Amino acid sequence: VHSQKGQRHLIAVARRLASARPDMVFVLLGEGADRAALEALAADLPNVVFEGFVENVGDYLDAADAFVLPSLHEGIGGACLDAMYFGLPIVASAVDGVPEIVGHEDNGLLVAPADEQALFDALCRVYDERVLADELGRRGRVLSERYTPDQMAERYLEVYARVG
């Protein structure tokens, strides 16, 4: 749904990137009330693919070069953690809880929500500056290890032991 995830902004940027970086392809996963309208908006774009709901998200992340979360509002941005686990550089909107896990120029690039120019620039940086992209991905992978189920369970047990 665009009102949360901001896909219209991503599609607008993909439209510009179709000529600026023609081999950059955007794969959108998931279902929602706006899917048909978003598909219509991108119907003429060769660089936007809608896969819909998939159970094997990890396969898509494993094949990706970067992860984009152009949200207008977001909880913690747990999808970013999933992408970090796969060593992907993150380009995300600096909304709500996202900056708590995505550090600008540490493990990703943060942009203002709905700022299409900033999103365009950040995606070009990740595409053009492979050393930067690789380092962002490496740092994200390290961070993601702190959020595995085992690590989370261990930290919960530590909290319970302190208050119990």
Side-chain angles (χ1 to χ4, degrees), residues 8-154:
R8 288 181 187 275
H9 301 295
L10 182 60
I11 291 169
V13 169
R15 184 170 302 286
R16 289 178 58 197
L17 287 166
S19 59
R21 306 290 188 287
D23 54 339
M24 192 183 289
V25 176
F26 297 85
V27 179
L28 284 76
L29 303 179
E31 292 289 337
D34 292 342
R35 180 174 177 182
L38 294 168
E39 284 182 327
L41 184 63
D44 63 326
L45 295 177
N47 62 340
V48 177
V49 177
F50 289 83
E51 288 293 317
F53 174 80
V54 298
E55 292 188 20
N56 59 331
V57 173
D59 292 339
Y60 287 86
L61 293 172
D62 193 37
D65 294 315
F67 180 79
V68 185
L69 189 71
S71 296
L72 302 174
H73 64 87
E74 190 70 44
I76 186 127
C80 290
L81 285 171
D82 295 336
M84 286 178 195
Y85 179 79
F86 284 88
L88 297 176
I90 308 296
V91 175
S93 298
V95 294
D96 305 322
V98 173
E100 293 180 31
I101 58 171
V102 179
H104 183 64
E105 297 199 7
D106 178 40
N107 57 3
L109 299 177
L110 293 173
V111 300
D115 186 338
E116 293 174 6
Q117 183 61 51
L119 185 58
F120 177 90
D121 293 343
L123 289 169
C124 287
R125 272 190 79 194
V126 166
Y127 180 85
D128 295 338
E129 299 176 34
R130 288 312 310 167
V131 171
L132 171 69
D134 290 346
E135 184 61 17
L136 297 174
R138 185 192 66 73
R139 290 179 187 159
R141 174 75 171 125
V142 169
L143 177 73
S144 75
E145 292 297 325
R146 294 183 9 211
Y147 293 92
T148 64
D150 288 343
Q151 287 293 316
M152 295 295 291
E154 186 176 312

